[in-house]
Amino acid sequence: MTDPNAASRPVQAVVLAGGQGSRLRPYTDDRPKPMVEIPGTGTPIIGHQLTWLAEEGVTDVVISCGHLADVLQTWLDSADLPVTVKTVVETEPLGRGGGLKYAAAHLPHPDRPWYATNGDIWTRFSLREMADFHTERDAVATLALARPRIPWGAVQTDGFGHITDFIEAPPSTFEINAGVYVFSPEFADLLPERGDHERTTFPHLARERRLAGFPIPQGAYWRAIDTAKDLTEAARELAALGR
């Protein structure tokens, strides 16, 4: 049976992999952050992302490189990749928005929608469902939203100030930008040549009600790998999940 939504889903993506990864040192002293491997997984973060994108129907990926780009390129040249990959390197710092615009200019289908993901995200959920959500809301940009666990124990109290329970690392009551996106073709033209799109383009689209938020489904795994502690906790969590 033909899927009526298939034609509107992206088949191309940008991965932002140019950050310094300073909070992940010493792991990033000799490799870019997306090349760091979560212990026990057998693959760097970027390898996991490319496999996930391919499983979700993506055929072409542009990787925006920066810090130690040659290390990433060497791995890509030797790996059996499930998608066609092109790498681009900024000749000067453009900021997050400018870097995204520069990478998007190298996508093979400028008239079609595209996914984007930060290069330090380890997650698994249906990008196809997110793309359908994006289309249904006629959005120009859709952000995946996560509820990360608070890294401290929390307490519950009653109306009189008595503590009634202790909860270890509960989920946040607030949703955050999960670093995974669906963009319509016109989004690239709205990005700044230099600067941060999260302070310019996103607020502009929000005021026009053309920025959507897709909650990552309950039970789906998500973690940003930002520090050495994140690596340790991700390894423990993924082992518990049998992944």
Side-chain angles (χ1 to χ4, degrees):
M1 183 175 178
T2 303
D3 186 343
N5 296 317
S8 64
R9 294 176 187 147
V11 296
Q12 56 188 355
V14 167
V15 176
L16 298 173
Q20 292 286 328
S22 57
R23 290 199 292 169
L24 202 51
R25 287 175 178 159
Y27 298 98
T28 51
D29 285 343
D30 61 354
R31 71 196 64 190
K33 190 192 293 189
M35 281 298 301
V36 172
E37 179 181 324
I38 295 174
T41 62
T43 185
I45 298 170
I46 188 70
H48 168 80
Q49 290 186 332
L50 294 177
T51 297
W52 175 45
L53 290 168
E55 290 173 352
E56 293 295 324
V58 171
T59 59
D60 293 89
V61 176
V62 175
I63 301 178
S64 178
C65 306
H67 174 63
L68 297 175
D70 56 326
V71 176
L72 176 55
Q73 187 63 62
T74 297
W75 181 82
L76 291 169
D77 290 342
S78 64
D80 182 15
L81 302 176
V83 292
T84 299
V85 172
K86 178 181 181 65
T87 56
V88 296
V89 181
E90 297 174 24
T91 56
E92 58 181 321
L94 299 175
R96 291 191 296 177
L100 192 59
K101 187 182 188 79
Y102 180 68
H106 294 81
L107 288 167
H109 309 290
D111 59 337
R112 298 194 63 177
W114 45 294
Y115 298 116
T117 181
N118 296 341
D120 59 355
I121 303 298
W122 190 286
T123 189
R124 268 290 200 281
F125 63 90
S126 175
L127 288 175
R128 291 181 174 91
E129 290 182 6
M130 185 175 173
D132 294 346
F133 180 97
H134 172 84
T135 300
E136 288 165 1
R137 282 147 187 83
D138 193 28
V140 173
T142 296
L143 288 60
L145 304 177
R147 289 186 184 272
R149 291 192 171 275
I150 298 171
W152 309 283
V155 295
Q156 284 186 333
T157 59
D158 62 19
F160 294 99
H162 297 127
I163 292 176
T164 59
D165 201 3
F166 294 89
I167 306 171
E168 185 63 31
S172 169
T173 56
F174 293 98
E175 294 174 310
I176 67 164
N177 179 352
V180 181
Y181 312 92
V182 182
F183 296 134
S184 294
E186 63 266 36
F187 179 75
D189 292 334
L190 302 176
L191 287 165
E193 296 291 339
R194 286 180 174 78
D196 188 349
H197 61 292
E198 295 193 10
R199 297 186 178 184
T200 54
T201 311
F202 280 173
H204 172 75
L205 291 174
R207 288 191 294 270
E208 293 186 341
R209 297 294 188 268
R210 302 204 72 188
L211 183 68
F214 175 79
I216 293 176
Q218 187 173 6
Y221 186 76
W222 178 90
R223 180 176 279 277
I225 309 300
D226 212 26
T227 65
K229 183 179 180 182
D230 290 327
L231 269 181
T232 302
E233 293 183 351
R236 174 178 52 80
E237 291 163 354
L238 291 170
L241 293 170
R243 298 178 183 177

